[in-house]
Amino acid sequence: MDQAAVSDDHQASVTAVQKYIDANSRDKSVASVLILDAVSIHDSEMSRISRTLNPADSEELIDPTPR
């Protein structure tokens, strides 16, 4: 991995990923699992994404009670 492209506050994460890959180098699925996890949208992120994409004055956001 090109360390020059990584900011200082992310160096520890890059090191951890490299150690994980090295420790599991015999498992051919490790890289694909890491990529899948990186591009997956997790449930915890859906609320934030929905708030970003929905207008702030949406009736559902103001009063989520069913009518």
Side-chain angles (χ1 to χ4, degrees):
M1 284 189 241
D2 180 12
Q3 296 293 327
V6 179
S7 63
D8 291 342
D9 58 336
H10 286 89
Q11 289 293 338
S13 296
V14 171
T15 300
V17 168
Q18 188 62 57
K19 284 182 182 179
Y20 182 80
I21 291 171
D22 292 344
N24 296 284
S25 62
R26 293 181 182 261
D27 183 349
K28 301 298 183 196
S29 67
V30 168
S32 60
V33 169
L34 290 173
I35 291 169
L36 180 60
D37 185 58
V39 299
S40 297
I41 298 175
H42 300 278
D43 286 341
S44 62
E45 297 166 325
M46 282 306 297
S47 292
R48 181 181 54 83
I49 293 168
S50 293
R51 285 193 313 269
T52 301
L53 297 177
N54 288 328
D57 61 353
S58 169
E59 188 173 325
E60 297 91 26
L61 293 176
I62 294 169
D63 183 8
T65 308
R67 295 175 194 242

